[in-house]
């Protein structure tokens, strides 16, 4: 099948014009500027840890440009059957590539895949293009390039292009897997979720089931049907898209770094196309066997260990670095859980915030679960939130609002369609998985097992089973073949923190056994994916693998160079300039950790 003829298929469906709401009276600019000013002023005045979760603040000029007009109009870029690069974003390249919606019907309808690339700066030693995937499923690769592309380039070396693509149905790729007319409509729906935690012993379970059923039925109407995008978003479809992209780039084999769900995509690709594996890194590894069975029950075995590290690192850092410091980690833990129980009985209102909001047990519990993905960036914010609640410090809570609840601003007329949320998670994860209609007895046992791993996180993670039990759209192509390869054309490399909240090391070890010759590097850290904790050791192994194909020695363990609350464990002044530069890139990456499965 020749996809390089440059002809546009007459089956291409252009994106629909989306209606915009006109009810918002405030602009996003005014709200963002206000939030930034309040955060900076308050953190300086009261000395919170807030700065630990904020890597930088845009200048007002840049902020205004970012808000008032899109940096690049993806939909104005004509899609083509061969990659036609257009300059974009300041020194980068963008394209929209037309690929068959169904590879079994190559002359049928198409999907336009958005590509965004940071070109190699070292042409003399050029080593090709690395594709990256941020996870999700449903995450935008073009957005990952925006947030992390330059730092990824600094890690792997400037002899590579860094290319992010939006998997079919996501981001700027079209058609979009959106089941709502506008982003504000979707936000209104999720605002109805309520403050009760999911529990199998009360009516919260049936309410959640009804909500998932409503989304499933709406999606069946909006993105289902014979040629609906919901039927053509499976992971094997995306793996085939990657192969087409690689071939159009003039490369024989895939070079890839996939995070979180990106580890699933990497496993599928390496199993389906083992002879096309060049350099493949899967980072934050979920076992594709568990994923394909739609079980979602192997994920949480280490999450409570990550959560407990919050109390230990706070104590280790001392009163100067953690606002919740006590004489032992156990006392900090007791303090946190006492507050959870208190909020369950008496939620706290923050009436003068714009808009006002309520802090409940669910809000605080969800915040800590989210922080477990990236402890370095967010543990300090959790500590500040707890302290502000304890002190009933309304000024502090107003400043912290964007870090506690969402949404905190009106976004009725924005974002651009490619910045909107979507329902891709359901279409991909549930479509890839085995069908399992809801059964009360089966779900009760499933939930109890989740709660045994983590009572704190089970109410959030237990939603995924319900999402898939109600989902109605089945993919045209679902991979049921082996998820293993005795030999790949080059061994793959697995990266895993020792304690990952949702992709445990146990899964990484199981996957390694199924891919012959693969290497496993363990990073002695807490958080999701290796990015969650800067490690020069890990970064150097990644670069050696990408540049030379060198795997770490079996049993290799890398230490983290920075710890939550504690900060750097090495003297930066004693580092070489190259190591200091690399560490700076890793610090930037710790801010953009994927949020796999977070709800």
């Amino acid at each position: 099948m020749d996809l390089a003829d440059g002809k546009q298929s007459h089956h291409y469906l252009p994106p629909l014009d989306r209606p915009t709401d006109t009810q918002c009276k405030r602009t996003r600019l005014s709200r963002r500027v206000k939030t930034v000013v309040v955060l900076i002023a308050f953190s300086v005045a009261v000395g919170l840890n807030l700065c630990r979760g904020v890597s930088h603040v845009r200048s007002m000029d840049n902020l205004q440009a970012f808000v008032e007009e899109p940096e690049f109009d993806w939909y104005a870029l004509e899609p083509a059957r061969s990659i036609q690069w257009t300059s974009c974003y300041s020194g980068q390249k963008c394209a929209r590539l037309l690929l068959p919606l169904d590879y079994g019907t190559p002359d049928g309808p198409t999907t336009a895949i958005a590509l965004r690339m940071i070109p190699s700066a070292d042409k003399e030693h050029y080593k090709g293009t690395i594709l990256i995937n941020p996870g999700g499923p449903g995450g935008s690769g073009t957005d990952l390039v925006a947030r992390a592309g330059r730092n990824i380039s600094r890690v792997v070396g400037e002899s590579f292009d860094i290319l992010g693509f939006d998997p079919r149905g996501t981001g700027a790729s079209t058609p979009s897997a959106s089941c709502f007319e506008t982003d504000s409509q979707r936000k209104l729906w999720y605002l109805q979720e309520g403050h009760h935690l999911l529990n199998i012993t009360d009516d919260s379970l049936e309410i959640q089931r009804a909500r998932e059923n409503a989304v499933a039925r709406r999606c069946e109407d909006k993105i289902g049907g014979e040629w609906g995008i919901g039927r053509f978003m499976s992971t094997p479809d995306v793996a085939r898209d990657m192969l087409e992209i690689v071939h159009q780039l003039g490369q024989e084999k895939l070079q890839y770094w996939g995070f979180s769900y990106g580890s699933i995509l990497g496993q599928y690709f390496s199993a389906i196309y083992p002879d096309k594996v060049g350099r493949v890194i899967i980072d934050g590894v979920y076992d594709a066997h568990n994923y394909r069975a739609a079980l979602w029950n192997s994920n949480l075995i280490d999450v409570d260990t990550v959560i407990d590290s919050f109390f230990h690192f706070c104590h280790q850092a001392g009163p100067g670095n953690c606002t919740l410091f006590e004489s032992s980690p156990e006392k900090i833990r007791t303090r946190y859980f006492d507050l959870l129980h208190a909020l369950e009985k008496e939620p706290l209102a923050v009436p003068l915030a714009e808009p006002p909001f309520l802090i409940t047990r669910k809000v605080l519990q969800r915040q800590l679960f989210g922080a477990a993905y990236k402890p370095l960036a967010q543990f300090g914010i959790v500590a500040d939130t707890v302290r502000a609640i304890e002190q009933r410090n309304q000024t502090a809570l107003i400043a912290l609002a964007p870090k506690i609840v969402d949404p905190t601003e009106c976004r009725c007329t924005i974002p651009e369609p490619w910045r909107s949320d979507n329902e891709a998670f359901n279409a991909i994860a549930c479509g890839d998985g085995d069908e399992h209609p809801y059964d009360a007895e089966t779900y009760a046992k499933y939930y109890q097992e989740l709660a045994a791993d983590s009572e704190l996180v089970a109410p959030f993670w237990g939603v995924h089973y319900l999402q898939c039990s109600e989902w109605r759209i089945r993919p045209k192509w679902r991979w049921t073949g082996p998820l293993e390869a005795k030999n790949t054309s080059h061994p793959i490399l697995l990266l895993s923190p020792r304690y990952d909240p949702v992709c445990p090391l146990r899964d990484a070890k199981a996957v390694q056994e199924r891919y012959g010759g693969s290497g496993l590097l363990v990073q002695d850290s807490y958080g999701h994916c290796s990015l969650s904790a800067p490690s020069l050791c890990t970064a150097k192994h990644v670069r050696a693998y990408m540049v030379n194909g060198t795997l770490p020695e079996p049993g290799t363990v890398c230490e983290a160079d920075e710890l939550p609350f504690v900060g750097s464990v090495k003297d930066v002044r004693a580092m070489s300039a190259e190591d200091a530069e690399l560490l700076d890139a890793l610090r930037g990456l710790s801010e953009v950790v994927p949020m796999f499965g977070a709800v």
Side-chain angles (χ1 to χ4, degrees), residues 345-371:
K345 296 177 181 178
E346 186 179 349
L348 177 65
V350 186
L352 299 184
E354 300 291 349
F357 67 96
L358 198 64
I359 301 177
T360 62
R361 173 171 182 147
K362 182 177 182 178
V363 166
L364 196 63
Q365 204 161 307
R366 175 178 275 160
Q367 185 196 45
L368 182 56
F369 175 38

Side-chain angles (χ1 to χ4, degrees), residues 293-562:
L295 295 176
W296 298 90
N297 64 357
S298 71
N299 308 85
L300 303 185
I301 62 171
D302 290 330
V303 66
D304 277 4
T305 302
V306 180
I307 288 171
D308 281 342
S309 76
F310 171 84
F311 312 115
H312 288 278
F313 286 127
C314 178
H315 171 72
Q316 180 180 340
N321 290 314
C322 181
T323 53
L324 294 184
F325 174 79
E326 295 282 359
S327 58
S328 71
E330 290 72 24
K331 288 185 177 180
I332 303 171
R333 192 178 196 279
T334 299
R335 187 172 165 185
Y336 178 84
F337 280 93
D338 283 350
L339 183 60
L340 274 188
H341 295 310
L343 288 172
E344 191 170 20
K345 296 177 181 178
E346 186 179 349
L348 177 65
V350 186
L352 299 184
E354 300 291 349
F357 67 96
L358 198 64
I359 301 177
T360 62
R361 173 171 182 147
K362 182 177 182 178
V363 166
L364 196 63
Q365 204 161 307
R366 175 178 275 160
Q367 185 196 45
L368 182 56
F369 175 38
Y373 282 72
K374 38 186 173 181
L376 197 68
Q378 294 190 354
F379 271 5
I381 295 167
V382 174
D384 292 339
T385 301
V386 170
R387 185 186 184 196
I389 295 171
E390 288 177 334
Q391 296 178 340
R392 297 299 193 262
N393 187 331
Q394 291 283 326
T395 304
L397 292 172
I398 290 170
L400 287 163
K403 304 292 185 180
I404 302 173
V405 294
D406 180 60
T408 57
E409 61 179 315
C410 177
R411 298 182 183 181
C412 300
T413 59
I414 48 177
E416 298 82 13
W418 49 88
R419 297 186 190 277
S420 297
D421 289 335
N422 54 52
E423 282 61 59
F425 181 96
N426 302 48
I428 300 168
C430 301
D432 282 341
D434 293 341
E435 291 185 86
H436 53 76
Y438 178 79
D439 174 77
E441 184 177 344
T442 301
Y443 186 76
K445 181 180 179 182
Y446 163 81
Y447 188 89
Q448 289 164 358
E449 291 173 353
L450 279 188
D453 285 337
S454 176
E455 286 189 22
L456 275 181
V457 176
F460 306 115
W461 205 257
V463 170
H464 296 316
Y465 190 103
L466 298 177
Q467 285 176 304
C468 293
S469 68
E470 300 296 331
W471 189 250
R472 299 168 177 231
I473 302 171
R474 299 305 294 168
K476 178 73 180 294
W477 181 21
R478 178 173 177 262
W479 179 252
T480 57
L483 287 167
E484 60 187 41
K486 291 183 179 180
N487 293 290
T488 52
S489 50
H490 191 84
I492 68 174
L493 172 60
L494 294 80
L495 304 180
S496 178
R498 187 175 297 281
Y499 301 107
D500 188 304
V502 292
C503 292
L505 177 58
R506 182 179 69 182
D507 276 21
K509 290 179 177 178
V511 172
Q512 185 196 14
E513 291 180 0
R514 299 203 300 268
Y515 289 85
S518 61
L520 171 62
L521 184 150
V522 176
Q523 183 170 287
D524 199 8
S525 63
Y526 300 80
H528 187 38
C529 302
S530 68
L531 303 186
S532 59
S535 169
L536 288 172
C537 169
T538 299
K540 290 177 180 180
H541 279 294
V542 165
R543 181 177 292 185
Y545 174 77
M546 282 298 187
V547 173
N548 303 315
T550 306
L551 288 173
E553 291 294 324
T556 296
V557 176
C558 284
E559 300 297 322
D561 292 312
E562 292 196 7

Side-chain angles (χ1 to χ4, degrees), residues 58-78:
R58 290 186 177 91
S59 71
M60 291 303 152
D61 289 341
N62 288 340
L63 180 61
Q64 185 167 0
F66 173 77
V67 171
E68 290 185 343
E69 59 184 14
E71 295 175 345
F72 183 75
D73 187 351
W74 280 99
Y75 287 176
L77 185 59
E78 189 74 13

